[in-house]
Amino acid sequence: MLADDGDHHYVILSVKELKGEPTFDSNQVSVSAGYSLPRLCVDVARRGLSGIEGLGGIPGTVGGALWMNAGAYGHEIGTVTETVRVAREGLVVEVPGSSVKWDYRHTSFREGELLLGATLGLAADDPAKIQARMDEAKQRRLASQPHGARSAGCFSRIPPRARLGPERSSTTWE
């Protein structure tokens, strides 16, 4: 956790112990927010399900990945999310993935909401091909990022116009 020196008026809650086991139904997987994202990538790959291969090297949980629309190497969790289970205003609701605004490392989930889990819709593929794509992503990551040392991650910021195109950006960059 990295935080500034200012006052903080919120609670940080770890859902790591809310792991459970993913449940599979054809090309869908339902998984809790506390489940390890890298482990989920391995689990679905072994079952011949594709769509999140690039996320395998991102440390953290499924809930964290959902909250910030984790992505790498052409895969973002928001593109495969069918529903998200959210504790919102005292109720647990199923939010359709299509109603969430999935931006670059940001979503429309609001402060105070607790993500409990999600159902992902993946595509069937050959497990060996999926594993090869996961291995390729791992090699790219190892070649470009520190390995075996502590790191605060990436601090670069891609301007909205550069990532969304000029027609979707309201910010003027000089």
Side-chain angles (χ1 to χ4, degrees), residues 17 42 44 46 48 53 60 76 86 96 100 113 118-119 134 139-141 153 158 161 170:
E17 298 304 318
V42 170
V44 300
R46 288 181 177 156
E53 294 90 312
E76 285 186 333
V86 181
V100 176
E113 294 181 327
T119 299
M134 289 177 67
Q139 291 308 312
R140 289 175 66 184
R141 193 172 276 114
I158 300 173
R161 177 171 285 153
S170 61

Side-chain angles (χ1 to χ4, degrees), residues 18 29-30 48 72 99 107 118 120 134 142 145 155 160-161 166 169:
L18 301 175
V29 58
S30 184
S99 72
T107 62
L120 309 179
M134 289 177 67
L142 288 172
Q145 298 176 11
F155 281 93
R161 177 171 285 153
S169 175

Side-chain angles (χ1 to χ4, degrees), residues 96-107:
S98 60
S99 72
V100 176
K101 186 175 180 190
W102 302 98
D103 287 332
Y104 181 82
R105 308 305 166 257
H106 188 308
T107 62

Side-chain angles (χ1 to χ4, degrees), residues 15-72:
V15 294
K16 279 180 99 170
E17 298 304 318
L18 301 175
K19 293 178 187 173
E21 288 296 317
T23 56
F24 293 86
D25 182 13
S26 186
N27 290 354
Q28 291 182 321
V29 58
S30 184
V31 61
S32 67
Y35 201 75
S36 162
L37 181 62
R39 181 167 175 204
L40 178 65
C41 293
V42 170
D43 292 346
V44 300
R46 288 181 177 156
R47 290 178 174 261
L49 296 174
S50 174
I52 59 173
E53 294 90 312
L55 308 183
I58 299 174
T61 63
V62 170
L66 291 165
W67 186 267
M68 54 92 62
N69 191 24

